[in-house]
Amino acid sequence: MLCYPVRNQSSLQAMNRLSDQTSPYLLQHADNPVHWYPWSDEALQLARERNKPILLSIGYSACHWCHVMAHESFEDTETAEVMNRLFINIKVDREERPDLDKIYQSAHSMLTNRPGGWPLTVFLTPDDHMPIFAGTYFPKTPRHGLPAFTQLLENIAHAFDTRKEDIQQQSASLRDVFDRLASQHSKPAEHLSSMPLDIARNQIEQQFDSRYGGYSQAPKFPHPAIIDRAMKHWGRTSETGNPDSRILHTALFSLERMGSGGLFDHLGGGFCRYSTDEQWMIPHFEKMLYDNGPLLWLNAQAWCISNNRDYRDAAEETANWVLREMQSMHGGYYSALDADSEGEEGKFYIWTPESIRAELNEAEYELIARRFGLDKPANFEGNWHLHAYVSYDDLAQQTGQGTDSVRATIKNARNQLFKKRQQRIHPGLDDKILTSWNGLMIRGMAAAGRLLDKPEYIDSASKAAMFIHDNLWDGRRLLATIKDGHAHLNAYLDDYAFMISGLLELLQARWDTRLLSWTQQLADTLLDQFEDTDNGGFYFTSHDHEALIQRTRTYSDDAIPSGNGIAAHALQLLGYLLAEPRYLDAAERCLRAAWHSINQTAISHCSLLEALDTHINPPQVVIVRGTDAEQALWKSDLQGQYLPFTHIYWIPEAVSDLPPALAEKTADTSIVAYICEGLQCDPPLHSRNDWSAFIEDNNPQPGS
């Protein structure tokens, strides 16, 4: 057996190539005794030259079980010796390289017939990078039916040396599966219909948890795309005079239970990634930007539908958390907060009744204890994680106080507890800035600012958009990530699609012709670099991206919405805004290419169903021209209005240099609203009474 000589720490670090990376996750491993490489030509060439299999480890900085495996194995010198001796070790941040993560998560599912997760552990051939074996977390010593990690390492290395033919046959079989998956997208549909919209509606109701909300059993994820589809389906049925109140209930009840449960941070705002139980009580405590952008957007919409203060509070507290903790001084939004602090998951968030009582007076403590179950058994490892058991209305009834008084007392108590919690050691911050996730949060902040009349949220979204433009756009192409001024990595479909979507929402909140021009440039690059011009739809990677074992093109939503779905819908909205058929045609080609996938499981394609709905029922695009003072009066008629199929752009009277479709819509002597449905326009509105009537006609109401 070949052994490495003992080295000092500096020489160990010299063999570990992660210290110059932008990913906080990779930097967490820069001092490991493992000879880690980032995914790079250097590492791949070394594997070929030495004919060593690759150990590919994929995770992210806020991942609890990634930390566990790191502490147990990657920081252990004996385990590292085995890894270094037998493999070329490559560490990947799935948030920076979602292209690699998508491919090897798919391979894991094929090899194991089980869903994947993180940390993802895959062993690859050195020549063509095909998977030999795949798994997720492996312990240092055997337990839970899993082998010791070092035992697995030895077994994989032995198989690589002695079972070359079997590995080649497995690689050939995997390639066949990849080819079959790709061929499913090679026959575009001839006809599109509304049938999947109705199928999805029924699937949503069937999967709805009527007791606790949500659309699955534990572990429970928020599934914002499903909630949005339920709201939109109700909106469509309201247009017919027969509103589907049952499907709306699934959306509003799910949001209510998430916002009152432990998934939500009742002191600092923001939602955790998912709940470990069916009641939304105990989450994995990491907070991800990509969840909070859509959930912010949905809660603002839910408040407009229901006028329920709980949704507005959830939206405002989430947006305030983003402003306070997740936006850099330069404008971009950070990626995530860790689940762990001081080496323990959730430690930052938990309390004891005694520690809470010490911060509050008796009246405050009584209400806090009742609402958050401090009089019930501990719910998290002998401690209490705040989960609302009793509503404000019920508390008011129980105590004989008014609901507003109860809210005010609890809010004051929460503020005091928040100040105390701020003195604790905080979870780690993943401060890389991802273009795609910024697009999701720009959309959420812009919509919340517009719907809740919070201009500071619109300011925040504008700062983030300009940061991406100034630092991750070179005038022709986007980059995917930046940290400490170092931007790199060729951008993916999601980067373009989510940014276009976010910018269109921002343009509704505050007009900026420069942003419209940039949105057009992004859309043109999206079509030029990502579209399958033969069959329709969009690849996840650009035409000039690094060649990998598969070029993925996915249509279903995951924890993050489908890039194809967001791209198709954003192109539709931009196409109708500018009367540009190129964008509309590309969106239709995407729907036709995705038709087979949509019809397999409609509920898994809610982002694409949004585009299908828009294809069948073109949206209303409203251009309002006038002075700022005149526009402010008309804007006031929109407060609290849910207008899911009406997109309003407020272009000041003095703005010039507009694209032709907008330049022809001028302000005459006073404010005017131009209303187009699809590519057909109605007579413009000049009277505020007519404007108010138009808004009322297009604002569905529960029970209407």
Side-chain angles (χ1 to χ4, degrees):
M1 181 177 70
L2 177 63
C3 295
Y4 281 43
V6 176
R7 297 179 174 88
N8 60 33
Q9 185 65 23
S10 61
S11 64
L12 283 173
Q13 291 175 343
M15 298 297 291
N16 183 316
R17 307 299 181 89
L18 302 183
S19 61
D20 62 349
Q21 295 298 298
T22 58
S23 160
Y25 174 65
L26 267 57
L27 293 172
Q28 288 172 358
H29 294 269
D31 292 330
N32 291 170
V34 179
H35 298 166
W36 290 118
Y37 290 83
W39 183 276
S40 60
D41 290 340
E42 178 188 13
L44 300 178
Q45 181 177 344
L46 189 64
R48 286 191 297 269
E49 290 175 351
R50 298 188 179 180
N51 194 32
K52 276 189 173 184
I54 294 166
L55 193 167
L56 176 65
S57 177
I58 302 178
Y60 61 100
S61 70
C63 165
H64 172 69
W65 285 102
C66 298
H67 298 329
V68 173
M69 192 166 179
H71 295 325
E72 290 181 347
S73 295
F74 303 148
E75 296 171 6
D76 178 68
T77 55
E78 294 181 359
T79 304
E81 186 279 325
V82 179
M83 294 172 65
N84 297 335
R85 172 165 47 86
L86 299 177
F87 300 94
I88 301 300
N89 302 289
I90 296 179
K91 177 63 74 173
V92 163
D93 183 339
R94 64 107 173 180
E95 296 166 0
E96 286 196 340
R97 295 300 305 261
D99 53 338
L100 294 170
D101 186 57
K102 285 177 181 291
I103 290 171
Y104 291 111
Q105 291 284 357
S106 177
H108 172 277
S109 297
M110 294 175 192
L111 292 173
T112 65
N113 289 317
R114 295 194 304 272
W118 300 278
L120 181 67
T121 306
V122 192
F123 298 90
L124 310 179
T125 57
D127 51 352
D128 55 8
H129 317 142
M130 293 297 293
I132 301 169
F133 180 86
T136 52
Y137 162 80
F138 290 99
K140 183 179 179 182
T141 57
R143 64 176 183 271
H144 307 309
L146 295 170
F149 187 50
T150 51
Q151 177 187 349
L152 176 69
L153 297 172
E154 298 280 2
N155 290 343
I156 296 298
H158 179 72
F160 177 76
D161 289 335
T162 61
R163 300 175 59 187
K164 299 285 189 185
E165 187 173 339
D166 292 341
I167 291 172
Q168 291 172 354
Q169 290 177 353
Q170 176 177 277
S171 296
S173 297
L174 283 173
R175 285 196 186 91
D176 288 342
V177 175
F178 284 139
D179 290 343
R180 286 199 301 273
L181 290 174
S183 69
Q184 291 179 0
H185 307 308
S186 62
K187 297 178 181 178
E190 295 183 6
H191 304 288
L192 302 175
S193 74
S194 63
M195 183 176 64
L197 301 175
D198 296 323
I199 292 173
R201 180 257 175 253
N202 293 332
Q203 291 174 340
I204 289 170
E205 187 171 42
Q206 290 166 5
Q207 295 190 20
F208 172 60
D209 181 347
S210 60
R211 185 176 183 187
Y212 297 114
Y215 302 97
S216 68
Q217 301 305 308
K220 272 190 171 174
F221 290 81
H223 296 300
I226 296 178
I227 296 173
D228 186 36
R229 176 90 300 265
M231 288 181 174
K232 294 289 176 52
H233 191 92
W234 167 75
R236 285 295 181 207
T237 59
S238 296
E239 293 179 332
T240 68
N242 187 27
D244 188 344
S245 58
R246 291 193 305 176
I247 203 65
L248 177 63
H249 171 71
T250 74
L252 295 182
F253 185 66
S254 296
L255 285 174
E256 186 274 321
R257 293 309 301 259
M258 282 185 241
S260 63
L263 190 79
F264 185 68
D265 180 356
H266 291 277
L267 302 185
F271 291 85
C272 297
R273 191 165 74 94
Y274 71 93
S275 173
T276 62
D277 60 88
E278 63 181 1
Q279 300 179 49
W280 304 104
M281 184 180 295
I282 303 301
H284 269 311
F285 288 87
E286 63 263 36
K287 291 183 186 178
M288 316 300 294
L289 192 72
Y290 68 75
D291 287 318
N292 282 280
L295 288 171
L296 169 58
W297 189 85
L298 287 169
N299 275 282
Q301 301 278 343
W303 176 72
C304 292
I305 292 172
S306 67
N307 201 32
N308 183 327
R309 180 73 205 192
D310 291 343
Y311 301 121
R312 182 175 183 123
D313 286 348
E316 288 184 355
E317 290 171 25
T318 297
N320 292 339
W321 163 69
V322 172
L323 292 176
R324 185 181 64 246
E325 299 185 35
M326 300 304 291
Q327 188 160 31
S328 75
M329 62 181 294
H330 302 294
Y333 297 118
Y334 298 133
S335 294
L337 286 180
D338 206 331
D340 298 6
S341 59
E342 301 181 73
E344 296 182 26
E345 184 182 16
K347 184 173 182 178
F348 180 74
Y349 298 98
I350 57 177
W351 297 84
T352 64
E354 294 75 21
S355 64
I356 290 179
R357 187 186 290 275
E359 303 302 319
L360 307 176
N361 63 39
E362 194 59 36
E364 291 169 337
Y365 179 79
E366 180 185 355
L367 288 177
I368 285 285
R370 290 194 189 193
R371 177 156 171 82
F372 294 115
L374 303 181
D375 53 352
K376 298 179 183 295
N379 61 2
F380 183 72
E381 299 178 358
N383 294 284
W384 279 255
H385 175 56
L386 300 185
H387 168 90
Y389 292 87
V390 185
S391 70
Y392 289 113
D393 288 339
D394 287 345
L395 276 174
Q397 189 174 29
Q398 291 171 12
T399 61
Q401 302 178 43
T403 300
D404 289 344
S405 175
V406 167
R407 282 185 181 274
T409 300
I410 289 179
K411 182 177 181 179
N412 184 63
R414 288 191 295 122
N415 288 340
Q416 293 179 71
L417 294 176
F418 171 75
K419 291 176 183 177
K420 181 66 175 179
R421 195 181 74 175
Q422 285 293 87
Q423 300 172 22
R424 299 176 179 177
I425 296 175
H426 286 238
L429 171 68
D430 187 325
D431 61 350
K432 69 177 180 295
I433 294 169
L434 296 170
T435 300
S436 60
W437 295 10
N438 269 251
L440 293 174
M441 185 53 73
I442 288 167
R443 181 174 184 251
M445 290 293 274
R450 175 171 58 85
L451 296 172
L452 307 181
D453 193 21
K454 291 283 189 176
E456 63 268 32
Y457 300 166
I458 302 172
D459 292 341
S460 170
S462 296
K463 284 179 60 179
M466 293 314 301
F467 177 86
I468 300 297
H469 178 274
D470 294 344
N471 294 277
L472 290 142
W473 171 253
D474 65 4
R476 189 178 60 92
R477 302 287 289 274
L478 278 172
L479 296 174
T481 183
I482 185 171
K483 184 180 183 297
D484 299 331
H486 179 203
H488 69 133
L489 297 177
N490 192 21
Y492 311 100
L493 170 63
D494 290 1
D495 297 296
Y496 287 89
F498 296 174
M499 279 303 303
I500 295 169
S501 176
L503 291 173
L504 286 170
E505 189 68 50
L506 180 54
L507 285 167
Q508 289 191 74
R510 181 179 297 157
W511 185 260
D512 186 332
T513 305
R514 296 170 304 166
L515 289 184
L516 175 64
S517 176
W518 184 34
T519 305
Q520 290 178 266
Q521 292 176 288
L522 291 172
D524 291 341
T525 303
L526 173 67
L527 297 185
D528 180 61
Q529 286 294 323
F530 293 87
E531 188 180 17
D532 179 349
T533 55
D534 293 326
N535 304 299
F538 303 99
Y539 293 105
F540 187 71
T541 53
S542 62
H543 298 324
D544 58 358
H545 195 79
E546 171 190 2
L548 303 171
I549 64 172
Q550 182 194 25
R551 191 178 182 194
T552 59
R553 178 174 43 176
T554 55
Y555 294 120
S556 60
D557 298 311
D558 203 341
I560 296 176
S562 160
N564 268 276
I566 300 298
H569 187 239
L571 288 170
Q572 289 170 328
L573 297 185
L574 186 60
Y576 284 121
L577 175 63
L578 300 177
E580 176 51 75
R582 288 190 306 118
Y583 302 143
L584 300 175
D585 292 344
E588 182 176 348
R589 289 193 296 270
C590 179
L591 286 168
R592 294 185 185 280
W595 195 244
H596 174 76
S597 184
I598 291 172
N599 281 279
Q600 282 185 320
T601 51
I603 193 175
S604 299
H605 295 76
C606 286
S607 294
L608 269 166
L609 294 183
E610 176 84 343
L612 177 64
D613 191 350
T614 302
H615 173 76
I616 296 169
N617 306 288
Q620 289 178 320
V621 176
V622 182
I623 307 298
V624 184
R625 302 298 304 268
T627 66
D628 290 343
E630 291 170 327
Q631 288 188 354
L633 285 175
W634 284 33
K635 282 182 180 180
S636 66
D637 293 332
L638 295 177
Q639 289 306 307
Q641 306 295 310
Y642 177 64
L643 302 170
F645 314 117
T646 303
H647 304 270
I648 305 173
Y649 300 88
W650 303 84
I651 305 180
E653 179 183 33
V655 169
S656 58
D657 194 26
L658 292 166
L662 299 179
E664 64 188 22
K665 296 177 172 64
T666 60
D668 299 325
T669 57
S670 63
I671 189 168
V672 57
Y674 297 89
I675 300 171
C676 299
E677 187 161 334
L679 299 177
Q680 180 176 347
C681 295
D682 297 328
L685 303 180
H686 297 272
S687 159
R688 188 175 176 191
N689 287 336
D690 290 342
W691 170 253
S692 299
F694 167 77
I695 296 302
E696 185 175 351
D697 288 344
N698 289 280
N699 176 36
Q701 291 294 321
S704 62

